[in-house]
């Protein structure tokens, strides 16, 4: 049936092979993207950036990450056009002292929720490219070890949105 169609529009066998190859390649690429579906297993909520004075060099981003999959997810980075760099951090309270640890990766166990909150995990947002004020939204893209990238809108607020 397909061969009859190609004959009617006067395509050579070489053109038919090229067209069929391109079609199959596109079909396989689209199928693999649809079957991945990893981003549907990650639910992000309460994404916000804590408002800071206009001249602040460092801000913090918070969110709730829910892993709805049966596998551990590993957050390995974040990026945004709104900041020169973003690091994954955790505030640690130990022996009456508080310090921050840079984390190259943060694991979210299967079926669990990890909260990024003041005094705990957070995105350290370095050197904003312009002042950010309450009510603004900034897009931050989360990067996972699996290759999944999730662009998330973070609302700028003085406190965690409800």
């Amino acid at each position: 049936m397909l061969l009859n169609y190609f004959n009617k529009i006067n395509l050579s066998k070489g053109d038919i092979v090229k067209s069929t190859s391109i079609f199959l390649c596109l079909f396989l690429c689209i199928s693999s993207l649809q079957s991945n579906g990893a981003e549907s297993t990650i639910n992000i909520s309460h994404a916000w950036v804590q408002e800071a004075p206009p001249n602040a060099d460092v801000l913090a981003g918070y969110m709730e990450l829910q892993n709805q999959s049966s596998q551990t997810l590993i957050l390995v980075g974040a990026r945004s056009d709104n900041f020169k760099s973003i690091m994954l951090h955790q505030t640690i309270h130990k022996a009456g002292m508080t310090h921050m640890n840079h984390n190259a990766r943060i694991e979210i166990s299967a079926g669990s929720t990890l909260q990024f909150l003041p005094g705990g995990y957070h995105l350290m947002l370095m050197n904003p490219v312009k002042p950010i004020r309450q009510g603004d939204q900034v897009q931050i893209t989360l990067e996972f070890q699996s290759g999944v990238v999730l662009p998330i809108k973070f609302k700028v607020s003085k406190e965690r949105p409800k």
Side-chain angles (χ1 to χ4, degrees), residues 43-47 62-66 113-116 160:
N43 184 33
I44 310 292
S45 59
H46 305 293
Y62 306 104
M63 65 190 144
E64 189 172 286
L65 270 147
Q66 184 180 24
T113 299
L114 180 63
Q115 293 188 349
F116 282 53
R160 183 179 189 221

Side-chain angles (χ1 to χ4, degrees), residues 2 6 13-29:
L2 190 57
F6 284 127
K13 284 186 179 182
D15 290 337
I16 293 170
V17 169
K18 287 178 189 174
S19 298
T20 304
S21 298
I22 291 169
F23 172 77
L24 287 173
C25 182
L26 287 171
F27 175 76
L28 291 173
C29 288

Side-chain angles (χ1 to χ4, degrees), residues 33-51:
L33 287 173
Q34 290 177 338
S35 66
N36 183 357
E39 57 275 357
S40 66
T41 64
I42 306 166
N43 184 33
I44 310 292
S45 59
H46 305 293
W48 65 291
V49 171
Q50 191 164 29
E51 184 184 40

